Amino acid sequence: MYFTRIFLPLALGYAVSYFFRNANAIIEGDLVKEISLGPADLGLLTSVYFLSFSAFQLPLGFFLDRYGPRRTESFLMLFAALGAFIFSQSDSLSGLIVGRLLIGFGVSACLMGAFKAYVIWFPTKKLSLINGLQMVAGGIGALVATIPLQNALLTTGWRGIFVGLAIISIFTSLCIWFFLPKQKFGNEKNHLFKLQLKEMGQVFRSLMFWGIAPLTAISSSSHLAIQGLWIKPWLRDVVGVSQENASELLFAMTLALIAGFLILGILAERLSNIFSVDPIKISVYGMIFYMFLQLVMVYGYVRSPLFLVILLGFFGSSSILVYAGYALKFPKNLSGRVSTMLNFLVFFGAFLLQWGIGIIIQMWPTVGLGYDPKSYTAAIGLLVFLQVLGLIWYFFSL
């Protein structure tokens, strides 16, 4: 019963959220032509989703712990619907930005609301698996935002697609409101704001939190910046892949991402239950391998783009295991705030990095219909450097 009533509505919400997040990677060509966007404009437009998303993460933790995921997420999804409609009707960069900001705000609870619900209603030892299944649902949304979206553009155009997304967002809001049970832990609702603030200070001062948080945030935000926008232009300008083939590679990358969420979630659960292995350690090994894959992008020598994007997708999912690791280390009443604090760092970092890549790329002159390959070397090289710093911090904090 819990799987049907809790998982399925929340999985739908996260699938919609992930579609919103990655859609610009496919429609970027249409936006550049129709609205006349440069790489910095494109990076800003796509990344403001992460800005509003991250800005609400800290207060979101209070709302989730105080009012529960049912009320919080169903209400916010209505803003996503409004943002999608504004986006569909806009003819200027400023209008598109307003719509994208509202979308980011509206879907800001889709992952953390689910994680909070799972902490409440599922056994602790099942969290790695159920969190992995939630990420699979998001991956399915991202999957639809590849070849299916590319094909849909030929018939409805990007404006019609976003009108449809507004309708789907309203439907998702209703599903969450009517299917999710009411908050189980009623005493949490009566917590005083000062007590909640004090508890958040507890997390902020925790070495347990800050030891892995920087590496997780930088690795996750790098992955969001690359897969959510820049992988397709990189394939076009550095590897020489056509737009149609790039969409197919993005589809394969997203399939690998889904496989990573599922396989790594199952692996972490088994190793945790049988050998008491910390999910955070498994996550760190995956993030290290993900750094090496980005170095391949820096050098730009790729014999098999398909093999590369599959590995990028699979190991780009590694950082999600940290959330399950935190759930094993912190009390349940802090779970919403712990997760949303980490999510704030992840998505604010994604805003800075996705936009920052566009700014760096714009420093080089445009080459034909694309961008200078050297600009990608500088931009992605910076991502790797930041992740190395996060890794060094992690090892020093042990």
Side-chain angles (χ1 to χ4, degrees):
M1 182 187 75
Y2 277 170
F3 184 85
T4 304
R5 290 192 63 187
I6 297 172
F7 176 75
L8 292 182
L10 294 172
L12 174 61
Y14 195 49
V16 173
S17 169
Y18 233 112
F19 185 97
F20 276 127
R21 186 185 304 175
N22 286 5
N24 278 18
I26 295 296
I27 68 173
E28 55 94 14
D30 298 88
L31 293 175
V32 167
K33 292 176 185 176
E34 191 170 332
I35 315 294
S36 300
L37 303 179
D41 293 332
L42 183 62
L44 174 61
L45 170 61
T46 306
S47 66
V48 292
Y49 167 101
F50 298 121
L51 178 62
S52 57
F53 192 109
S54 63
F56 195 63
Q57 289 306 295
L58 297 184
L60 174 62
F62 287 116
F63 282 104
L64 289 175
D65 286 338
R66 190 177 179 91
Y67 299 107
R70 173 177 167 267
R71 291 184 183 181
T72 305
E73 187 170 342
S74 60
F75 177 71
L76 288 173
M77 283 300 296
L78 298 177
F79 286 92
L82 176 61
F85 182 75
I86 291 174
F87 193 93
S88 72
Q89 303 301 308
S90 297
D91 294 312
S92 65
L93 176 60
S94 58
L96 292 173
I97 286 176
V98 169
R100 189 105 173 132
L101 281 168
L102 285 171
I103 290 170
F105 173 70
V107 300
S108 60
C110 287
L111 182 59
M112 295 299 100
F115 282 178
K116 175 64 180 180
Y118 300 153
V119 167
I120 295 171
W121 282 291
F122 287 88
T124 302
K125 291 185 177 181
K126 293 291 183 182
L127 288 179
S128 291
L129 177 58
I130 197 68
N131 286 355
L133 290 174
Q134 177 73 6
M135 301 308 297
V136 169
I140 292 173
L143 202 63
V144 179
T146 57
I147 295 176
L149 176 56
Q150 184 74 56
N151 294 333
L153 287 173
L154 301 176
T155 54
T156 63
W158 64 272
R159 295 184 185 276
I161 288 168
F162 273 82
V163 170
L165 285 169
I167 297 171
I168 293 172
S169 297
I170 293 173
F171 173 75
T172 303
S173 173
L174 294 174
C175 286
I176 292 170
W177 177 261
F178 286 109
F179 286 104
L180 255 67
K182 293 184 178 180
Q183 182 72 20
K184 188 175 182 179
F185 299 118
N187 62 315
E188 288 191 8
K189 185 177 177 180
N190 298 319
H191 280 184
L192 296 175
F193 177 77
K194 287 184 180 179
L195 177 59
Q196 291 181 319
L197 195 61
K198 182 180 178 180
E199 289 172 339
M200 179 170 277
Q202 248 181 290
V203 180
F204 264 116
R205 293 189 297 271
S206 170
L207 293 177
M208 190 187 304
F209 177 83
W210 285 109
I212 187 61
L215 174 60
T216 305
I218 300 169
S219 180
S220 293
S221 55
S222 297
H223 175 72
L224 292 170
I226 292 171
Q227 182 159 0
L229 178 62
W230 294 112
I231 185 65
K232 190 181 175 188
W234 180 83
L235 287 168
R236 178 193 65 207
D237 300 332
V238 177
V239 186
V241 174
S242 68
Q243 180 169 308
E244 291 74 18
N245 288 340
S247 297
E248 294 171 359
L249 289 172
L250 194 54
F251 184 88
M253 184 178 184
T254 307
L255 277 178
L257 178 72
I258 296 171
F261 288 142
L262 185 59
I263 293 172
L264 292 177
I266 294 172
L267 178 66
E269 183 196 20
R270 298 288 170 82
L271 292 177
S272 177
N273 291 341
I274 299 173
F275 301 106
S276 299
V277 177
D278 189 344
I280 290 177
K281 290 184 178 179
I282 302 172
S283 179
V284 169
Y285 290 128
M287 287 188 278
I288 291 172
F289 196 77
Y290 185 60
M291 289 182 214
F292 285 107
L293 295 170
Q294 290 168 82
L295 281 175
V296 175
M297 296 181 69
V298 169
Y299 287 104
Y301 180 71
V302 181
R303 287 188 175 183
S304 174
L306 176 62
F307 187 57
L308 175 63
V309 297
I310 287 174
L311 291 178
L312 281 168
F314 186 89
F315 287 99
S317 68
S318 303
S319 57
I320 197 63
L321 294 176
V322 173
Y323 290 93
Y326 276 159
L328 297 174
K329 297 176 184 295
F330 288 93
K332 283 190 174 184
N333 67 300
L334 294 178
S335 60
R337 275 154 286 176
V338 171
S339 295
T340 53
M341 284 169 62
L342 179 58
N343 231 31
F344 166 76
L345 297 175
V346 168
F347 285 93
F348 186 70
F351 161 69
L352 294 176
L353 295 184
Q354 196 169 70
W355 185 18
I357 290 173
I359 293 173
I360 293 172
I361 289 174
Q362 193 159 294
M363 292 179 180
W364 276 259
T366 302
V367 178
L369 298 176
Y371 311 123
D372 193 323
K374 294 179 182 177
S375 64
Y376 294 97
T377 299
I380 299 172
L382 176 61
L383 299 185
V384 176
F385 175 72
L386 293 174
Q387 287 166 82
V388 170
L389 292 181
L391 183 63
I392 293 171
W393 171 263
Y394 168 74
F395 283 123
F396 271 102
S397 69
L398 292 176

